[in-house]
Amino acid sequence: MFAALYAPAVPTAAVIDVGRAFTPRFEQLGSVILLDASGLSRLFGSAQELGEHLRDALSKLSPGDSLPRVAIASTQAAAALLALGSPGLTVVMPGKEAIALAPLGVGVLDHFERVADSARSAPSAQPQAASPARPSHVGKHPRVTHEASRPRPRAPASRLLEIFTKWGIRTLGALSELPGPEIHERCGERGALWQSLARGVDARPMVPWVDDIPFEAALELEWPIEGLEPLSFVLARLLEPLADRLERADRGAAVLYTSLRLTSRSVLTRALQLPAPMRDPKTLRTLILLDLESHPPDAPIDIVRIYIEPTPAKVLQWTLLERAQPAVEQVSTLVARLTALMGEGHVGSPVLVDTWKPGAFEISDFRSQISDFRSQISDVRSQISDLSTIQPINQQSEISHLRSALRRFRFPIPTRVTVSEGRPVRVQTDRQGFTSGAIVQAAGPWRTSGNWWSASAREQSSELRRDHHAVAASGREGGWDTPGPRMKAGQQANGPTGQQDAWDRDEWDVAMNDGTIYRLVVERAVGQWFVEGVID
């Protein structure tokens, strides 16, 4: 059983308070408040007595001659339509909804639809100041635009009402008697919905009102604290009640905000985007402490405030045929510890970059969601199925006799190379385990370049040239006997490893006296040579 409250002269917030006083299960549809009246007969008696109690409660808030409307029926649609179309108190016995709705005009359906749409599209936005109205015909003559004789456009919501009026359908009873398939064929799903509402049939279940209670906790300290160890006890005191509230509400933390007011009157705010909903207080405390370890406050702490952005909790059900993945809390704690140890941007999963730059990659966050694991498993299975259709390599073909492979060095090794007539003729390196000496055979060069058009790349290139000239000058003062200047240690990782924006280099494959084959790379912007790999 449902009860509908409608009082246009009473603020909607006051009507909600009246409904909340009778039952916690209610739903707001614009200015109409629907109550779940199931079980209220033990407190207020019969449906007629319950309706009188609701009417009296609303009458105390209604001004003067305006009378509130209360309707009680066994369906939501019937109660809402009767509250909108019938004055006073209306109580309908179960099974009599169509008979009670039959005398109402078809316009009540349009009114109900407008109310429901306003409830769905009414955000809690601040009212904006109304701008002064400006005539639409300013700057143009009505005869030119035909605005003088053009009728005002009708609202799209009243189009179906106009069709029913032309058909001679004036009441809900007449609409409910029409054949349903023909209504759907001529008026679409909206027409079929109107007919079901006219018969008192609910289109959807009731969605009870849920109070938006903020998950927030704060503690003002009597004495300022310094360091993470005393802060951990304060965080435990704040997080344990929040975790209990999240568990009772079946929610998990999606974003964790920590705000620390310092004795310097500044506020340190940190936000943690959690990979999955979680509500374990120990895990949340550990994540906050590890984040603050990387970003420590610069003054003692006066006030600690924690705010949690909730999200529906996630229930994981593993199958018996797959290995269970590690808990999200454990993975998040491990990643946070590694981030605190290695620094921001140094922990994650390498991802290829859409570029021709050799060795280019970027670090992305680890994904611990179950859907990602399942998608990867499905991709692997599809690849395995595709491999079964590939023809095996012919043992007599040329590709089956290839025995060489290039082993790239993660950090290319700087080296000194003697060049004669544009070709490398001698390699000299100080790295132990690598061959130095004359080059027997050389193949190349293979030139690649890119991203030279960006401004940041031009700035980096000019900076490298300045460093090159400075190092070359110091090399001449030190009496180097090789033409290739050395690079500074900080530039080693920024050369051919793919970490700079622009690149311009030549590649050579050279064979040494002992049969070793190296891949040499020269950065043309600075003239520095590297051993990028060895060919086995």
Side-chain angles (χ1 to χ4, degrees):
M1 183 176 294
F2 298 91
L5 310 180
Y6 180 59
V10 180
T12 306
V15 182
I16 292 177
D17 292 338
V18 172
R20 194 196 304 270
F22 282 82
T23 175
R25 287 180 53 84
F26 64 92
E27 180 182 2
Q28 179 187 4
L29 294 177
S31 56
V32 178
I33 308 301
L34 284 173
L35 309 180
D36 185 2
S38 303
L40 296 183
S41 58
R42 297 181 179 181
L43 298 176
F44 302 99
S46 62
Q48 183 69 29
E49 295 175 350
L50 173 61
E52 293 175 356
H53 284 290
L54 292 171
R55 181 188 59 188
D56 296 340
L58 287 177
S59 299
K60 296 178 181 179
L61 303 176
S62 301
D65 54 349
S66 61
L67 295 178
R69 300 181 181 184
V70 179
I72 298 179
S74 59
T75 61
Q76 308 173 50
L81 293 176
L82 289 171
L84 292 172
S86 300
L89 173 61
T90 305
V91 179
V92 180
M93 300 301 295
K96 304 296 183 180
E97 292 82 8
I99 299 176
L101 293 172
L104 300 181
V106 183
V108 72
L109 292 173
D110 181 63
H111 189 189
F112 174 75
E113 193 174 59
R114 290 177 183 271
V115 168
D117 291 342
S118 65
R120 287 190 292 267
S121 62
S124 57
Q126 298 294 335
Q128 300 179 355
S131 58
R134 179 181 178 183
S136 59
H137 60 273
V138 172
K140 52 187 178 181
H141 197 277
R143 293 182 180 178
V144 179
T145 58
H146 303 284
E147 290 184 1
S149 59
R150 180 182 300 171
R152 295 183 61 185
R154 293 180 178 271
S158 62
R159 176 60 179 168
L160 189 57
L161 179 61
E162 182 182 357
I163 293 175
F164 287 150
T165 303
K166 290 181 178 180
W167 288 357
I169 306 299
R170 300 287 190 270
T171 63
L172 299 186
L175 177 60
S176 61
E177 293 178 358
L178 295 178
E182 296 183 6
I183 287 290
H184 188 277
E185 182 179 355
R186 288 170 173 80
C187 301
E189 295 182 358
R190 187 158 166 256
L193 175 62
W194 276 31
Q195 189 181 45
S196 63
L197 294 176
R199 294 173 178 174
V201 179
D202 290 333
R204 61 174 181 83
M206 182 180 182
V207 182
W209 175 285
V210 178
D211 292 328
D212 189 10
I213 302 176
F215 292 90
E216 185 177 5
L219 181 61
E220 184 175 359
L221 305 175
E222 296 182 0
W223 298 96
I225 60 174
E226 296 186 36
L228 298 181
E229 184 176 356
L231 180 61
S232 63
F233 294 98
V234 178
L235 294 176
R237 180 178 175 182
L238 295 176
L239 288 172
E240 289 179 359
L242 287 177
D244 294 338
R245 290 174 53 193
L246 288 172
E247 186 175 2
R248 289 194 299 267
D250 194 20
R251 294 290 187 269
V255 185
L256 187 60
Y257 297 93
T258 306
S259 178
L260 305 177
R261 199 190 73 171
L262 309 179
T263 55
S264 60
R265 299 304 178 185
S266 61
V267 178
L268 174 63
T269 303
R270 298 294 302 170
L272 292 177
Q273 296 282 345
L274 302 180
M278 59 181 66
R279 56 188 179 217
D280 182 28
K282 295 182 179 180
T283 302
L284 297 178
R285 182 186 62 179
T286 303
L287 294 178
I288 294 176
L289 292 176
L290 291 174
D291 181 68
L292 292 177
E293 185 178 349
S294 302
H295 306 83
D298 55 1
I301 302 171
D302 270 343
I303 299 177
V304 181
R305 179 175 286 104
I306 296 176
Y307 175 76
I308 293 177
E309 185 175 324
T311 186
K314 200 171 188 179
V315 179
L316 302 180
Q317 180 63 44
W318 300 100
T319 65
L320 298 176
L321 304 179
E322 297 178 2
R323 176 183 295 180
Q325 303 293 339
V328 179
E329 292 81 0
Q330 298 177 358
V331 176
S332 302
T333 305
L334 175 60
V335 172
R337 292 185 185 277
L338 293 176
T339 303
L341 179 64
M342 303 300 299
E344 294 286 345
H346 294 82
V347 177
S349 177
V351 178
L352 294 178
V353 184
D354 187 11
T355 180
W356 291 99
K357 187 175 183 179
F361 68 95
E362 62 182 5
I363 297 294
S364 64
D365 296 335
F366 286 111
R367 299 180 180 180
S368 58
Q369 299 180 0
I370 303 305
S371 58
D372 296 336
F373 289 120
R374 292 181 176 177
S375 61
Q376 293 175 6
I377 293 175
S378 61
D379 293 342
V380 171
R381 290 176 179 174
S382 62
Q383 293 176 5
I384 293 176
S385 61
D386 295 340
L387 290 175
S388 60
T389 60
I390 299 178
Q391 297 295 332
I393 298 177
N394 186 7
Q395 299 297 329
Q396 302 299 327
S397 62
E398 296 180 358
I399 194 174
S400 63
H401 298 287
L402 294 179
R403 294 292 183 269
S404 62
L406 173 63
R407 291 191 293 115
R408 286 180 180 269
F409 302 141
R410 175 61 186 88
F411 293 102
I413 302 171
T415 185
R416 298 183 294 277
V417 177
T418 304
V419 180
S420 176
E421 297 181 357
R423 302 178 65 86
V425 296
R426 186 176 183 83
V427 175
Q428 184 69 30
T429 180
D430 300 332
R431 185 67 61 88
Q432 186 178 2
F434 289 85
T435 303
S436 299
I439 297 176
V440 178
Q441 187 176 2
W446 295 282
R447 179 167 298 175
T448 61
S449 64
N451 208 19
W452 44 265
W453 50 86
S454 64
S456 60
R458 291 194 294 268
E459 294 176 359
Q460 291 175 353
S461 178
S462 61
E463 182 180 354
L464 286 176
R465 288 192 183 96
R466 290 194 300 268
D467 295 341
H468 163 69
H469 293 316
V471 174
S474 62
R476 286 192 296 269
E477 294 175 359
W480 290 355
D481 56 354
T482 55
R486 294 182 180 180
M487 294 184 67
K488 292 186 294 185
Q491 295 179 351
Q492 176 181 349
N494 291 333
T497 58
Q499 302 304 318
Q500 286 184 346
D501 292 335
W503 75 96
D504 185 9
R505 68 182 202 165
D506 290 344
E507 298 180 359
W508 292 81
D509 289 345
V510 299
M512 309 299 293
N513 287 325
D514 58 354
T516 305
I517 302 177
Y518 289 135
R519 169 69 58 85
L520 299 181
V521 174
V522 56
E523 293 291 337
R524 300 180 65 249
V526 295
Q528 174 64 47
W529 288 82
F530 295 88
V531 178
E532 190 179 42
V534 59
I535 299 177
D536 294 337

